[in-house]
């Protein structure tokens, strides 16, 4: 899940305030569950979606893990089927999405989270989420061109954001 801020759209596509970006990638096997995953909350909304990823893109996405023993297996797993890269926008969306995703270890994830409900082992934990605004910005630019981000206004937005 990757995201931009509703409040900061006036700065231009992709511009955002601290705490208003998040990123997540649903891994191989996640596509079949996408319809079962509700929006994070009334405060977030989907504004971009991608379902294809090359091995090269996945290697770049997980570059920080390249020295870990599971890196090659992770890239192989993630490239074994379609992925769903999403951009979410909303207030505090990093925190909201991280809560919705659950702990990295599915055994430690609460029921009702994506990992708690759909994952059984760490090496195939079905979803990645940006852990900070900075990583979300980097991941958004890796997966999407600015013109692919669709920031839109919900009719209920003025009731949610003061």
């Amino acid at each position: 899940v990757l995201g931009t801020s509703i409040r900061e759209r006036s700065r231009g596509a992709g511009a955002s305030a601290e705490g208003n970006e998040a990123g997540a990638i649903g891994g191989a096997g996640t596509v079949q569950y996408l319809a079962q995953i509700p929006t994070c909350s009334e405060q977030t909304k989907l504004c971009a979606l991608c379902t294809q990823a090359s091995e090269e893109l996945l290697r770049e996405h997980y570059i920080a893990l390249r020295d870990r023993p599971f890196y090659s297996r992770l890239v192989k797993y993630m490239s074994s089927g379609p992925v769903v890269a999403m951009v979410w926008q909303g207030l505090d969306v990093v925190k909201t999405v991280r809560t919705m995703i659950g702990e990295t270890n599915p055994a430690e994830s609460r029921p009702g989270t994506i990992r708690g409900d759909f994952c059984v082992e760490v090496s195939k934990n079905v979803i990645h989420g940006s852990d900070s605004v900075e990583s979300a910005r980097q991941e958004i630019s890796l997966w999407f061109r600015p013109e692919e981000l669709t920031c839109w206004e919900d009719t209920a937005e003025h009731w949610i954001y003061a």
Side-chain angles (χ1 to χ4, degrees), residues 1-6 20-25 34 37-41 43-49 84-91 93-94 96-97 100-101 114 127 136 140 144 149-152:
V1 176
L2 314 163
T4 59
S5 163
I6 293 170
N20 291 329
E21 294 188 352
I25 310 293
L34 186 59
I37 299 171
T39 60
C40 301
S41 73
Q43 296 179 352
T44 61
K45 58 189 174 187
L46 184 66
C47 59
L49 184 79
V84 179
M86 298 170 275
V87 176
W88 290 89
Q89 81 183 63
L91 186 62
V93 71
V94 170
T96 302
V97 168
M100 184 180 86
I101 288 173
I114 295 169
I127 193 163
I140 291 168
F144 298 94
L149 300 176
T150 305
C151 294
W152 54 279

Side-chain angles (χ1 to χ4, degrees), residues 25-98:
I25 310 293
T30 302
V31 175
Q32 64 190 349
Y33 300 120
L34 186 59
Q36 298 176 42
I37 299 171
T39 60
C40 301
S41 73
E42 294 79 25
Q43 296 179 352
T44 61
K45 58 189 174 187
L46 184 66
C47 59
L49 184 79
C50 169
T51 59
Q52 298 296 318
S54 66
E55 189 171 310
E56 180 182 344
L57 174 62
L58 292 166
R59 287 190 181 283
E60 180 66 24
H61 179 84
Y62 290 110
I63 195 77
L65 302 174
R66 72 181 172 273
D67 295 329
R68 306 290 293 269
F70 58 82
Y71 176 72
S72 293
R73 290 189 316 272
L74 173 63
V75 171
K76 183 178 179 180
Y77 168 68
M78 290 297 291
S79 61
S80 68
V83 298
V84 179
M86 298 170 275
V87 176
W88 290 89
Q89 81 183 63
L91 186 62
D92 296 322
V93 71
V94 170
K95 181 179 177 183
T96 302
V97 168
R98 299 290 295 177

